[in-house]
Structure formats: C-alpha cells, structure tokens
Amino acid sequence: MLRAGEDLLQVEERLWVLTAPTGKGIYDFGFDRFFACRRPYQLPASLEVVARVGVWNDYEVRYRELAAEGVTLVHSPEQHLLATELPYWYPRLMDLTPRSVWFDERPAAKTVETELGWPVFVKGARQTSRHRKSLSIIEGPEQFEVAMAAYATDPILHWQRVVCRELRPLRRVEEGAPDRIPSSFEFRTFWWRGELVGWGPYWWQGTPYTMTEAEQHEALGLGREVARRVDVPFLVVDVAQEVSGRWMVIECNDGQESGYAGVSPFALWRNILDLELKRSR
C-alpha cells in the first residue's frame, strides 16, 4: 500500500496523515517531533487520510490504490482537481479573481491578444515555474512566443494547460530577484472544512510584511467566501491586495500539496487537531 518513503501516522488519536519527505523545508513537517503519534500495526477497516507527500502527478491512480486498501484520501480526485486547477475553480470565483482564459494547446499570441490584450499574466493551470517573471508577466506578442517555446520544454509547465490572466496592478512589497515575479502584498490562507486554520505572508523570504486588523477582516473574509464556494475539506486560498485597496484571489490549491509559506505549520496542525476533537464529541 505504501510507496517508498511514505509513513502513515495517527496524530493525537484524531487525524491520520500519510507523509513522505520532499527535501523542501517550506513543505516538510515532522509530526512526531511536535505531536503524539502512533503507527498501529493493525489498521482500522477504513480510515480517512490527509496526504503530505508533495505532488502526485497521478493523484487519481494513487487515490484508487489507497481506496482498495480501505484508506480514503481527504479529497476525491474530483475535489483535488477543483482545489488545484484554475479551469475547475475559476467558474465559481469569476467575480473574485482576474479574468482568465485557458488553452489545451499552447496558443498563438494573436489569440491571446484578441481574448485579453496585453500585458497578461501567464501560468500553468496549476502553478508557475518557480515564479519566473520572464515566463509569467508578458508585455507583448514577441515575448509571449518566446515564453511558449520555453513552456514546451519546462519540466513544471510542459504538462500543464496554459492559462492567461488579466494583469492587475498589485500592491508591491519588493521587487525581488531580476527574473522573479515581484513580491506583492499577498497572503496564503489554509481552510479545514470551511474554517480558517492558518494564514501568513506568501513571500516569506525577504522584506517582512503583515496585515492590519482591518486588512485581516477583508482578506480573510474573502478567503472564507472562497472556501464556502469551492467547498472541499482542505483548501489553500492565496489572496492579494490591488493598488486600489481591493482584495482578490490569486489562486487556490489542495492543502495536501501546498507549502506553508509564512504560515506556522505547528499552529496550523494544532488548529486542525482541535477542530477534529470538536467534531468527534
């Protein structure tokens, strides 16, 4: 049932977690260093599990494999797609996020110009490639064609559908490295069964920044509405503030696959465990 490197834990008698190290400090978390964990020799006939193993490109296959052994991942394959890929979550959030179009094949510059005009923000249906500015913030047709040629061979982007989004002016925190998307006033929020369990700066390295109480009210209120509309058990919502002061949704993700960014992983899991205790009473 378990693949190489995977470990199945029962945390605080309340939550089952399937873990595997990824080597990324922003993602990995040693549950048994901070919480009471067990690895029962004999498992229950059925159990629900949160996976923290990095990204499975074969999520549906893995879901079926585990289900055959009585282990149900917290997200079905359909919920996983809804949480991770823009073409699935965008229809529910069109009024909360920049206008977007996507393509099964890499589009011609003229097509994008007709749909959105220039400049545009370009990404894969799931993610960017290491926040590279030259592949994301596209000013015109020549740059777009160069970016599409790079997409064809990029290890992260080549298998994803191409998404083009209206480029909206965001409140800046700092410019960052020469070929990195500038750091905006953006925050990562985690939602467990519709409840907020953690939030923090998306750009956790570099210039520190945080929200005022009034900003928290608006930004987290937006995240809560997104969690309500998307309606999956473990959702990540990234929100950012425009120059105008308006808050918007940058993207959604499956909480199983998402890095913590500036969110405290200990506090996050402590909050989830507390909510699970309430559910069990």
Side-chain angles (χ1 to χ4, degrees):
M1 177 179 69
L2 299 185
R3 292 181 177 177
E6 292 180 347
D7 191 12
L8 184 61
L9 308 173
Q10 187 180 33
V11 185
E12 300 280 343
E13 305 286 339
R14 302 173 208 171
L15 186 73
W16 288 91
V17 182
L18 179 65
T19 70
T22 67
K24 298 177 181 178
I26 201 61
Y27 181 90
D28 293 341
F29 178 72
F31 285 89
D32 49 7
R33 291 178 55 200
F34 298 94
F35 300 110
C37 296
R38 294 197 310 122
R39 297 169 177 81
Y41 176 75
Q42 186 168 1
L43 298 178
S46 64
L47 61 154
E48 183 183 69
V49 168
V50 179
R52 290 293 297 179
V53 298
V55 175
W56 279 323
N57 291 331
D58 60 346
Y59 187 93
E60 183 170 1
V61 171
R62 192 67 180 121
Y63 182 90
R64 306 298 178 201
E65 289 175 351
L66 290 167
E69 300 289 338
V71 176
T72 303
L73 292 171
V74 70
H75 287 160
S76 69
E78 294 76 19
Q79 289 173 318
H80 172 71
L81 286 174
L82 178 58
T84 56
E85 295 204 8
L86 182 142
Y88 291 89
W89 57 256
Y90 177 80
R92 302 189 183 199
L93 306 177
M94 290 176 61
D95 58 322
L96 306 178
T97 195
R99 189 160 59 99
S100 304
V101 293
W102 52 90
F103 307 89
D104 291 334
E105 304 290 337
R106 286 182 290 280
K110 188 63 178 177
T111 303
V112 176
E113 184 174 356
T114 301
E115 293 277 358
L116 292 173
W118 308 108
V120 294
F121 189 90
V122 183
K123 65 187 292 292
R126 181 175 294 190
Q127 65 189 116
T128 64
S129 181
R130 303 180 183 89
H131 301 113
R132 288 178 60 189
K133 182 179 179 180
S134 60
L135 297 183
S136 301
I137 298 176
I138 308 299
E139 302 289 345
E142 291 183 2
Q143 186 187 356
F144 182 81
E145 296 295 356
V146 171
M148 287 300 97
Y151 266 55
T153 58
D154 187 276
I156 295 174
L157 297 170
H158 79 275
W159 58 271
Q160 300 184 59
R161 284 187 280 183
V162 176
V163 170
C164 297
R165 314 195 73 194
E166 177 188 2
L167 186 64
R168 301 254 277 266
L170 299 179
R171 176 181 169 186
R172 295 281 178 88
V173 173
E174 65 178 3
E175 290 301 315
D179 192 25
R180 198 203 75 184
I181 298 169
S183 301
S184 62
F185 199 63
E186 182 178 351
F187 295 85
R188 170 151 289 187
T189 66
F190 283 81
W191 302 84
W192 179 258
R193 306 192 191 280
E195 296 296 327
L196 178 68
V197 289
W199 68 270
Y202 180 85
W203 303 99
W204 75 97
Q205 296 171 313
T207 302
Y209 63 98
T210 191
M211 292 188 279
T212 65
E213 187 174 339
E215 289 165 342
Q216 288 181 45
H217 178 77
E218 289 190 55
L220 300 180
L222 173 60
R224 186 174 297 279
E225 174 62 12
V226 172
R228 184 189 71 79
R229 293 190 194 183
V230 177
D231 191 25
V232 298
F234 193 22
L235 183 68
V236 163
V237 184
D238 295 335
V239 298
Q241 190 180 43
E242 295 186 55
V243 171
S244 67
R246 180 189 178 200
W247 287 89
M248 70 176 191
V249 176
I250 298 295
E251 65 180 13
C252 297
N253 281 294
D254 186 332
Q256 297 179 105
E257 293 184 349
S258 299
Y260 297 110
V263 180
S264 163
F266 172 78
L268 168 72
W269 292 108
R270 178 78 274 162
N271 289 335
I272 290 174
L273 289 166
D274 289 346
L275 287 173
E276 288 302 286
L277 180 61
K278 290 178 182 178
R279 286 183 72 227
S280 66
R281 288 176 174 172

